[in-house]
Amino acid sequence: MIHFVLLISRQGKVRLTKWYSPYSQKERAKVLRELSGMILTRGPKLCNFVEWRGYKVVYKRYASLYFCMCINQDDNELEILEIIHHYVEILDRYFGSVCELDLIFNFHKAYYILEEILLAGELQESSKKTVARLIGAQDSLVEDAKEQASSIKNMIAQATK
Amino acid sequence: MAGPSLMDSLFQRSLDDIIKGVRLCPPGTEPTFIAKSLDEIRREVKSTDRQTKAIALQKLTYLHSLHGVDMSWAAFQCVELSSSSAHSHKRIAYLAASLSFNPSTTDVILLLTHQLRKDLSSSSVHDVSLALSTLSSICNPDLSRDLTPELFTLLSSGKPFVRKKAIAAILRVFEQYPDAVRVCFKRVVENLETTDVGILSAVVGLFCELAVKEPRSYLPLAPEFYKILVDCRNNWILIKVLKIFAKLAPLEPRLGKRVVEPICEHMGRTGAKSLAFECMMTIVSSMSEYESAVKLAVGKVREFLLDDDPNLKYLGLQALTMVAQKHMWAVLENKELVVKALSDVDVNIKLEALRLVMSMVSEDNVMEICRILISHAQKSDPEFCNEILGYILFTCSRNFYEVICDFDWYVAFLGEMARIPHCQKGKEIETQLIDIGMRVKDARLELVDVARSLVIDPALLGNPFVHGVLAAAAWVSGEYVALSRNPFELVEALLQPRTSLLTPSVRSVYIQSAFKALIFCIWSYGKLNGDDASDPSALTELVAKCHLEGNSETVACESLSDTEVDNANMVIAGGQMSSASSRKYHLTKESLEGLVNLVGTNLGPLAGSDEVEIQERASNVLGFIELMKPELYGHLGHTEGNGMKGKLEASEVVKLMFDVFSEELGPVSLSAQEKVPLPDGLVLKENLSDLEAICSDVKFPLSTSFSLVHSQIMEKDTASSPECKEESGPSTESTSLLAEHRKRHGLYYLPSENKGTTFNDFPPAHEPKDKTIDEAEDLAKLTEESLIIKKKQNQVKPRPVVVKLDDGEGLNVAVEKSKVKTDLISGAVREVLLGNEATTSSSRSKSSNKSSKRREVDRIPESGNDIVNTAISERSNVGSGRRKHQTHLSSGKEKEQHDHKGKQKRDSRHHKHKSRQRADGAMNIPVQSPVIPDFLL
C-alpha cells in the first residue's frame, strides 16, 4: 500500500501532502525534509527509486514538480510509477496542460482528484475518463452552490438574520 | 474581540488572496504573514455564515497541509461544517477533517459519527464517496464499530462507484475493529465474482493487503483468485493477484504447481514491464523450486539488466539478489552485468549491485571478491568508496569472521583499506584490528607487522579519519611488542614529532604503547646481561620463549599442536636469522641509553600538557625513566656496591612492569553479570555502609601487595608453561592485586565456574547485544564449533582459531510482536469462510490438526476430501479463536450499553443487530462455494 503521496517543487516547496499512514505533524515535517533532501539532489537519468527507512520511495519528475509515493519493500515500483503517471495525466486533462501554478492555486482540486484515484493507499479508479466525469459532476454541484451563496442578497440576508 | 460580522463576510480574503500573499511575501516575513492570516481565520471560522466558515476552513487547510500550521483547534468547526447540506461545504469540511484529524488523539471524531452515518446512507453518490474517503483516513475503533452496518449495506450497493469505495474503505475498518469481519466478510467475498473492473480491483487490493499480514486464512479463496489470474486482462488487478499468490503458494505446495504455468504465460505475453516484473518476483520469491519457471524468470531478469532504463536495471538487480538465495547460477550467468553495474552512474544501482555481490561471498571467493571491490573502491567517489568498505568490513566480520580463513591476508587487507585516501571507516577497522588481535592468536605476528607499517608512516598522521586505526595499530604494537622485529624503531615511530597531530586520546595510546615497548627493550636487555651476558643466543631463546608462551595456550587447549609448534619453530628460526641478530645489534648499552634519552626528550614537554591523559601517561613514563637512569649509568660506570642495590631494585621494577604488561586480561562476557544467580543473602537495596570497611581494608595492603605479586610472578616464571596451567584448572586467573581482593571478597566477583562455558579466555572486543541464551543451545554450538575445527585440521592450511565467548551468536531474535489485531482479523476470516461447517470437532487439539495436515500433504489427493480435511483442521483453530471473539464481542456490547443512552444510538444498535442477523443468514447459504477448490485436484 502507499503510505503517503508528496508533491515537491524543484526548489523544495511542498505542493501537496497526503498521508495514508498515521504520522504526527512533527514526523511529517521530518519526512518532508529528509526526502526532499534525498530526491531533489538526484540527477536526471537515474533510477526513480530511493530507499528510505526500510521503505521505498518512488518518485518521478514532471516539469518542475516531483511526485513521490512511499511504499513497502515488497510493493511493485513500476506499478507505482504508472499510478503517478495516471495521476499526472488526469491532472493534465482536468486543468488543460497542467502546470505548477494550477496546482498551487487549486490545491484542493488536486486533493479531490487524488481522492478519486487513491483510497486508503490503494488504487481506486484506473479509468481516466471516469475520474474526469466524477470530478466534473462534483464541480458542477459546487458551482451551483457557489452561485447561490455568492449573491449579495443572500449574504445580507444571512448577516442581518 | 469583535464577533464575526457582515464586514467579515463581505471582505473576507479568499483562498487565492492567501496563496498570493504567501507567494509575494519577501523572504523571512512568511511566518508573520501566516500568523496574521491565522488570526483572521480564527475569527472567520466562528462565523454563522457557512460560506465564510467554509472559506476560512479551506484557507486553514491550505496552511496546514502545505505550511505545516497546526489546525487541531479547528476540528470542531470541521464537524460543524460537514453537516451543511451544500456539497461544496461538505467537501471542504471533509477534506479538512481527513487531512488534519488524528484518529487516536482528535476527540471530536466521535461527534462526526452521526454525520458520517447520514452521508453514508445519503442518496447522493458524491456525498457517500466523500464520507467513505474521509472514513478511510480518520478511522478509529469507535467509528468503525458504529459505522459497520452502513458499510455492510454499501458493500452490495447497486452503484459500482460506491461499492468499490466501500470495499477499499473497509480495510481500515477491519484493522480497527476486527469484529466487522464477521459481519462484512461474506459480502466482500461475493464481490470477487463481479465483472466490474473497478470493484474487482478494489476487492483484490483489499485481499492483497489482508494476505500480506496473515496469508493462511485466505487459502480457501484460492480458486477465486485463480480464476481471476487466468481470466482477467487488467494489469492492475493481475499484479495484485500475483502478490496474493506469492503469499499463498509457499503455504500449499499444490497451489504453486497449479499457478506457475499461468504466471509464466503472463510473463511471456505481457508487454507491460510492471506486470512482467511482478511475475518475475512472484516466481523467484515463492516458486523457486520450479526450475523451468526460474529459468524463464532469470531470462527476464537479464532483459531488465540489459535495458537502458535505469529503473529496470535497478529492479533487475533486486530480483537477482532474491534469486541468488537459492540459485547462485543465475548470478554467475550475469556476473559481468553485475560487475558493470558496480560502476554505474546511479548510486542506488551501484549499491544494489554491491549488495548482490556481497551476498555471494563465501570462504572460497572472499579474497577474489574483496580484491575486485577494493579496486572499484579506489576508482569510485568517496561516498560509494566508503559504502564498499563498509560492506566489506561488515561481511568479513560477520559471525566472528566466519568467511575468513586466511587471517594474515585479512589483516594485511585491513591495513590496505585504512590507507585508501577516502576511507572513513577508521572506527570499524580499529575495532576489527583489536578484535582480531585478541581473538586470533595466529594472526598476531602479521598483525604486528601491519601495525608497524601503519605506525611508522608519517603521512597517515595527517589524516584525521585514520586516527582510530592508528590508535589500534599503536595498541597492537605495544601489546604484542614481543613479536615485533624491531622495538627500537617502534618506539621512535610512536614518538615521532608528527604525533602532535593526533587527538589527545589517540596520543595517550601512543605514549602507553611506547612505554610498553620501552619496558620490553629494557627487560630484554636486562635479561640478556643479567642471565648470561656471554651467551649470544640468550636473546633468541628469549624470543622463542615468548612465542612459546604465547602459543602454548593455544597448543594446550586447541590441540593444534603440530602446526602450532611448527609455526613457532619457524618464527624462532627466522628470528635467529634476521630479527634477533638485528636486535642484538641494537641491544647495546649505548643504544638503550639513546632510546631512554629519546623517550625522555620527547615526553618531557608533554608532562606539562593540558590534556590530563597525555600528561599523566607522560609523567608515568618519565618517572619510570628517572628510576631507571641510575641503573643504566651505574652499569656504564661499573660501580658495584651501590650499583648492585640500585640494579636490583630497578630490575625488579622492570620485571614487575613487564609482567604487568605481558599479562593478558581475563575474560568477562558481556552477559556474565546476568548469569550470576542472586545469592541468597544478598539484598541489593541495602545501605552499603559496610562496604566502607572492605574498602579501607583494600587501602592497607597496597604497599605490601607488591611483594605478593612478586612472589606469584616468580612462581609463574618457574613453571614451565604457566598459561597452560591457568587454562586447564579453574584457578584464580589473576596475579595482581585483583586476585588478592578476589580471595577476600569473592562474593562480589563472578563465580569462576562461568569460565567453564566460555570457549576461551578472551574478552570480546565487540559483541552483539547480550541475549539470554539457552544453555543447551550453547553447548550444541560449542560442539559444533569443535567439530568444525577438527574438520579443518585436515585441510592443507588450517583456519586459525577464532576465540568466541559463549554468547553473541545465538541471536534469539525475539519476534514476539503483538499481532493481536491481525490474529483477530484472520480468526474472524476463517470463521466466516469455514464457520458453518464447524458444528463439531472444536475440541480437536492443535497437534492432531497438524498431523492431519501432514497426512494430507503426503497423500496424493484423490477427491475433495482433502480440502475438507484442511477445512476441518482450520476450523478447530477457529474454535479457540471464536471463544475469544465471543468474549470480545460481549464486552463490546456491554460497553455500548454503557456509552450510548441517546435514542439515536439505540436505534443504531438495533439496526446493527439486524444487519448482523442478515449477515448470518447470508452466511448460511453459499458457504460451500469458496471451500471447494476444484482446480486443486
Side-chain angles (χ1 to χ4, degrees):
Chain A
M1 82 174 246
I2 297 166
H3 294 282
F4 52 77
V5 177
L6 306 176
L7 263 65
I8 306 173
S9 79
R10 207 154 47 92
Q11 288 80 28
K13 295 254 189 227
V14 183
R15 297 304 180 205
L16 182 142
T17 57
K18 174 79 188 169
W19 311 84
Y20 296 102
S21 298
Y23 287 88
S24 75
Q25 195 66 38
K26 227 188 211 163
E27 286 166 335
R28 290 178 183 188
K30 203 166 157 228
V31 169
L32 280 169
R33 228 181 9 254
E34 278 179 27
L35 281 180
S36 47
M38 274 172 85
I39 289 170
L40 299 183
T41 50
R42 282 175 65 78
K45 289 184 186 168
L46 302 183
C47 72
N48 295 100
F49 321 121
V50 288
E51 288 190 17
W52 170 81
R53 295 198 204 164
Y55 295 105
K56 284 189 285 200
V57 177
V58 179
Y59 73 93
K60 176 117 186 165
R61 183 175 161 184
Y62 287 90
S64 56
L65 268 189
Y66 285 87
F67 289 71
C68 320
M69 294 190 182
C70 171
I71 50 172
N72 289 332
Q73 277 295 346
D74 53 357
D75 280 331
N76 187 327
E77 291 93 337
L78 295 174
E79 183 198 7
I80 301 298
L81 275 179
E82 278 168 27
I83 292 181
I84 292 178
H85 190 70
H86 183 61
Y87 182 39
V88 173
E89 277 187 331
I90 291 171
L91 287 175
D92 198 54
R93 205 176 276 197
Y94 181 79
F95 288 106
S97 82
V98 66
C99 68
E100 195 182 335
L101 275 181
D102 287 327
L103 296 186
I104 293 172
F105 285 99
N106 297 290
F107 86 101
H108 48 296
K109 300 231 166 112
Y111 274 111
Y112 298 141
I113 294 174
L114 187 63
E115 283 195 354
E116 292 304 327
I117 298 173
L118 295 175
L119 201 148
E122 296 288 333
L123 180 74
Q124 255 314 288
E125 182 53 71
S126 53
S127 150
K128 281 163 228 154
K129 239 187 230 154
T130 316
V131 176
R133 191 166 46 78
L134 286 168
I135 296 288
Q138 286 169 20
D139 278 352
S140 63
L141 272 178
V142 173
E143 283 306 313
D144 294 348
K146 211 183 251 171
E147 264 169 39
Q148 218 181 18
S150 61
S151 64
I152 292 199
K153 205 174 96 193
N154 198 346
M155 256 189 210
I156 294 175
Q158 272 276 328
T160 52
K161 201 160 42 179
Chain B
M1 193 189 83
S5 65
L6 177 64
M7 298 305 274
D8 278 329
S9 310
L10 275 178
F11 298 104
Q12 185 185 24
R13 287 205 279 179
S14 69
L15 175 65
D16 275 11
D17 295 336
I18 293 275
I19 296 173
K20 276 181 195 150
V22 172
R23 285 170 64 78
L24 290 177
C25 269
T29 60
E30 201 182 282
T32 22
F33 180 82
I34 290 178
K36 217 177 108 218
S37 312
L38 268 180
D39 281 346
E40 280 172 19
I41 291 169
R42 261 177 225 276
R43 208 150 14 99
E44 290 161 11
V45 93
K46 294 199 180 91
S47 164
T48 49
D49 177 30
R50 302 247 181 199
Q51 181 63 18
T52 314
K53 197 193 275 282
I55 290 179
L57 214 50
Q58 195 172 29
K59 290 193 287 187
L60 188 57
T61 312
Y62 171 78
L63 293 177
H64 168 75
S65 64
L66 302 188
H67 294 272
V69 170
D70 172 55
M71 67 174 286
S72 54
W73 52 271
F76 183 69
Q77 274 76 21
C78 296
V79 178
E80 264 185 329
L81 190 67
S82 67
S83 63
S84 166
S85 56
H87 182 73
S88 58
H89 296 160
K90 215 184 263 303
R91 207 179 181 190
I92 289 170
Y94 277 136
L95 178 65
S98 64
L99 289 180
S100 71
F101 284 12
N102 182 331
S104 47
T105 57
T106 309
D107 39 11
V108 296
I109 285 184
L110 279 183
L111 300 177
L112 202 58
T113 315
H114 175 59
Q115 189 56 44
L116 279 173
R117 181 178 296 132
K118 233 167 108 184
D119 287 331
L120 286 175
S121 16
S122 156
S123 57
S124 152
V125 284
H126 299 295
D127 286 355
V128 180
S129 115
L130 263 183
L132 281 172
S133 51
T134 310
L135 176 63
S136 77
S137 33
I138 63 170
C139 208
N140 65 13
D142 290 326
L143 217 49
S144 314
R145 190 190 56 221
D146 295 340
L147 296 176
T148 301
E150 278 71 25
L151 276 170
F152 175 75
T153 320
L154 289 176
L155 283 177
S156 53
S157 157
K159 297 162 188 140
F161 166 60
V162 170
R163 213 200 297 181
K164 70 172 194 213
K165 285 210 169 188
I167 292 168
I170 204 132
L171 171 65
R172 293 298 153 92
V173 174
F174 284 175
E175 281 169 359
Q176 298 291 333
Y177 179 64
D179 279 341
V181 174
R182 224 175 292 276
V183 183
C184 303
F185 197 71
K186 209 71 234 170
R187 286 213 170 164
V188 174
V189 172
E190 281 164 19
N191 278 310
L192 274 175
E193 282 163 19
T194 178
T195 47
D196 184 283
V197 177
I199 295 174
L200 195 59
S201 158
V203 73
V204 172
L206 170 69
F207 278 115
C208 181
E209 282 303 311
L210 289 173
V212 166
K213 285 173 192 131
E214 216 292 293
R216 190 166 285 281
S217 316
Y218 307 95
L219 265 180
L221 291 174
E224 271 79 2
F225 295 137
Y226 181 77
K227 231 175 275 163
I228 297 171
L229 178 71
V230 176
D231 298 338
C232 187
R233 284 292 162 268
N234 180 308
N235 289 349
W236 304 99
I237 297 174
L238 281 174
I239 288 175
K240 297 280 177 205
V241 171
L242 284 169
K243 278 192 188 306
I244 296 174
F245 276 119
K247 295 280 178 249
L248 297 187
L251 302 174
E252 171 61 70
R254 287 170 296 162
L255 195 59
K257 210 160 148 196
R258 195 66 200 239
V259 294
V260 71
E261 207 174 298
I263 293 178
C264 288
E265 241 169 71
H266 276 303
M267 187 162 62
R269 190 173 44 207
T270 183
K273 298 285 184 210
S274 53
L275 182 57
F277 176 64
E278 197 59 52
C279 293
M280 202 161 92
M281 289 307 264
T282 309
I283 290 174
V284 300
S285 66
S286 315
M287 290 151 206
S288 52
E289 66 271 19
Y290 300 95
E291 286 288 338
S292 59
V294 172
K295 276 217 176 80
L296 258 172
V298 171
K300 204 78 185 168
V301 170
R302 193 173 166 81
E303 258 175 56
F304 273 41
L305 287 175
L306 285 168
D307 204 293
D308 285 335
D309 185 349
N311 288 339
L312 298 187
K313 216 180 277 175
Y314 176 84
L315 296 175
L317 286 170
Q318 237 174 24
L320 208 52
T321 312
M322 202 165 258
V323 190
Q325 290 162 9
K326 292 203 181 117
H327 303 275
M328 199 48 95
W329 56 265
V331 187
L332 296 178
E333 254 177 35
N334 297 295
K335 198 173 159 194
E336 77 286 6
L337 289 174
V338 175
V339 173
K340 207 175 117 203
L342 272 177
S343 36
D344 200 276
V345 281
D346 190 343
V347 186
N348 290 359
I349 291 181
K350 284 198 282 191
L351 267 181
E352 208 55 47
L354 179 59
R355 252 176 244 174
L356 179 57
V357 170
M358 287 329 272
S359 70
M360 296 160 57
V361 167
S362 71
E363 270 179 38
D364 311 319
N365 60 13
V366 61
M367 287 164 86
E368 187 199 342
I369 287 182
C370 285
R371 207 171 41 243
I372 295 174
L373 285 181
I374 208 86
S375 67
H376 259 287
Q378 277 156 340
K379 281 183 280 179
S380 336
D381 54 309
E383 200 184 329
F384 188 60
C385 170
N386 280 303
E387 285 290 347
I388 294 183
L389 295 182
Y391 267 97
I392 293 178
L393 287 168
F394 172 76
T395 312
C396 291
S397 66
R398 197 173 46 204
N399 202 4
F400 300 103
Y401 311 96
E402 71 178 348
V403 292
I404 307 289
C405 273
D406 185 352
F407 274 91
D408 288 352
W409 164 78
Y410 186 58
V411 167
F413 187 64
L414 282 176
E416 201 182 314
M417 277 200 266
R419 285 167 185 274
I420 290 178
H422 302 305
C423 173
Q424 290 173 17
K425 297 284 169 191
K427 194 83 207 142
E428 184 58 31
I429 297 177
E430 175 190 359
T431 320
Q432 291 195 13
L433 281 177
I434 295 179
D435 196 38
I436 292 176
M438 294 204 278
R439 287 184 195 278
V440 192
K441 283 207 167 121
D442 296 358
R444 283 181 192 165
L445 193 64
E446 177 66 22
L447 193 63
V448 167
D449 258 6
V450 170
R452 171 190 164 272
S453 65
L454 285 172
V455 170
I456 222 160
D457 187 351
L460 289 175
L461 289 164
N463 180 359
F465 289 118
V466 296
H467 281 185
V469 183
L470 289 179
W475 182 84
V476 164
S477 36
E479 184 68 21
Y480 309 117
V481 65
L483 302 174
S484 173
R485 268 194 221 124
N486 190 344
F488 279 53
E489 178 193 66
L490 187 69
V491 175
E492 273 167 40
L494 288 171
L495 295 173
Q496 60 184 298
R498 270 173 74 91
T499 50
S500 58
L501 295 168
L502 293 169
T503 48
S505 58
V506 179
R507 205 162 182 202
S508 45
V509 177
Y510 264 63
I511 297 172
Q512 188 74 2
S513 299
F515 190 27
K516 286 178 188 171
L518 176 67
I519 299 254
F520 178 75
C521 291
I522 298 176
W523 179 78
S524 322
Y525 172 71
K527 201 89 176 159
L528 201 63
N529 289 308
D531 289 357
D532 196 350
S534 59
D535 186 356
S537 67
L539 187 72
T540 40
E541 256 174 29
L542 194 103
V543 175
K545 199 177 162 203
C546 282
H547 281 292
L548 271 175
E549 264 178 39
N551 286 324
S552 54
E553 267 181 67
T554 345
V555 175
C557 70
E558 309 303 349
S559 68
L560 281 173
S561 45
D562 284 9
T563 41
E564 287 299 323
V565 170
D566 278 352
N567 261 356
N569 282 340
M570 258 164 55
V571 172
I572 295 162
Q576 264 167 341
M577 309 288 251
S578 61
S579 70
S581 60
S582 73
R583 192 184 296 160
K584 202 176 166 241
Y585 170 71
H586 281 291
L587 260 185
T588 60
K589 284 158 203 157
E590 290 77 21
S591 66
L592 203 60
E593 206 187 312
L595 187 70
V596 171
N597 281 336
L598 175 81
V599 175
T601 47
N602 272 305
L603 292 185
L606 291 181
S609 166
D610 290 342
E611 297 291 336
V612 272
E613 277 289 305
I614 294 179
Q615 188 214 23
E616 196 164 352
R617 279 161 207 249
S619 306
N620 281 347
V621 182
L622 289 174
F624 177 76
I625 290 174
E626 278 311 307
L627 194 68
M628 292 309 302
K629 263 186 181 155
E631 191 223 350
L632 276 175
Y633 292 122
H635 254 274
L636 271 175
H638 288 287
T639 45
E640 298 290 310
N642 237 0
M644 266 312 270
K645 202 179 158 199
K647 182 190 158 197
L648 250 172
E649 273 176 16
S651 62
E652 233 166 70
V653 171
V654 168
K655 203 154 161 14
L656 200 70
M657 291 307 294
F658 179 73
D659 285 334
V660 165
F661 283 143
S662 59
E663 186 73 28
E664 290 190 357
L665 296 173
V668 180
S669 156
L670 264 185
S671 57
Q673 187 69 51
E674 285 165 20
K675 286 185 183 162
V676 184
L678 207 62
D680 281 339
L682 186 64
V683 186
L684 285 174
K685 281 176 184 161
E686 214 175 87
N687 197 345
L688 290 177
S689 57
D690 57 328
L691 262 185
E692 252 170 53
I694 297 166
C695 290
S696 56
D697 261 356
V698 177
K699 297 287 179 217
F700 276 112
L702 251 180
S703 54
T704 56
S705 67
F706 274 104
S707 63
L708 239 167
V709 174
H710 180 65
S711 67
Q712 276 194 340
I713 290 168
M714 292 303 275
E715 261 175 45
K716 233 180 124 178
D717 270 359
T718 51
S720 57
S721 57
E723 311 263 329
C724 181
K725 203 172 172 189
E726 198 182 291
E727 276 305 318
S728 54
S731 66
T732 50
E733 72 269 30
S734 173
T735 56
S736 65
L737 235 175
L738 214 68
E740 181 59 17
H741 194 266
R742 182 175 192 141
K743 253 183 232 162
R744 284 207 214 176
H745 311 290
L747 178 65
Y748 300 102
Y749 283 84
L750 309 178
S752 41
E753 283 88 74
N754 262 346
K755 270 176 69 187
T757 52
T758 63
F759 194 61
N760 208 333
D761 290 349
F762 288 93
H766 59 92
E767 221 174 355
K769 282 166 243 156
D770 32 345
K771 300 255 152 72
T772 47
I773 280 186
D774 200 349
E775 288 285 337
E777 197 189 320
D778 238 354
L779 264 174
K781 274 223 168 87
L782 285 178
T783 45
E784 241 174 58
E785 253 166 41
S786 52
L787 270 178
I788 290 171
I789 288 166
K790 265 174 206 157
K791 210 171 68 193
K792 291 262 165 70
Q793 230 178 334
N794 300 333
Q795 290 176 359
V796 186
K797 188 175 178 186
R799 182 172 186 257
V801 180
V802 181
V803 176
K804 302 174 193 178
L805 268 190
D806 42 355
D807 28 307
E809 338 145 67
L811 296 163
N812 302 4
V813 184
V815 225
E816 284 294 314
K817 282 181 185 173
S818 57
K819 285 182 170 177
V820 186
K821 279 211 163 144
T822 331
D823 284 353
L824 284 178
I825 294 181
S826 53
V829 166
R830 283 183 201 168
E831 191 176 331
V832 173
L833 282 177
L834 313 155
N836 279 35
E837 289 170 84
T839 46
T840 55
S841 82
S842 61
S843 58
R844 278 205 192 188
S845 71
K846 259 199 166 172
S847 59
S848 76
N849 237 336
K850 268 182 197 160
S851 64
S852 74
K853 245 187 199 170
R854 210 171 301 135
R855 238 186 300 135
E856 172 221 327
V857 173
D858 288 345
R859 222 182 336 152
I860 296 159
E862 308 148 345
S863 66
N865 286 348
D866 272 16
I867 302 311
V868 176
N869 246 349
T870 332
I872 288 171
S873 56
E874 241 148 316
R875 196 193 316 146
S876 54
N877 271 348
V878 171
S880 61
R882 170 178 270 184
R883 235 168 289 133
K884 212 183 339 175
H885 286 309
Q886 272 167 350
T887 58
H888 189 99
L889 240 173
S890 63
S891 73
K893 265 186 197 164
E894 273 168 34
K895 200 175 157 201
E896 240 180 332
Q897 273 165 349
H898 259 273
D899 288 348
H900 312 303
K901 294 199 171 149
K903 201 178 174 188
Q904 246 170 10
K905 304 276 176 177
R906 215 172 302 149
D907 268 355
S908 85
R909 192 150 49 89
H910 186 64
H911 194 86
K912 188 176 163 187
H913 221 80
K914 252 203 282 184
S915 65
R916 188 167 293 154
Q917 279 170 346
R918 241 184 296 156
D920 285 344
M923 264 191 274
N924 275 330
I925 312 152
V927 85
Q928 294 289 348
S929 57
V931 187
I932 298 175
D934 44 355
F935 78 95
L936 280 178
L937 308 174

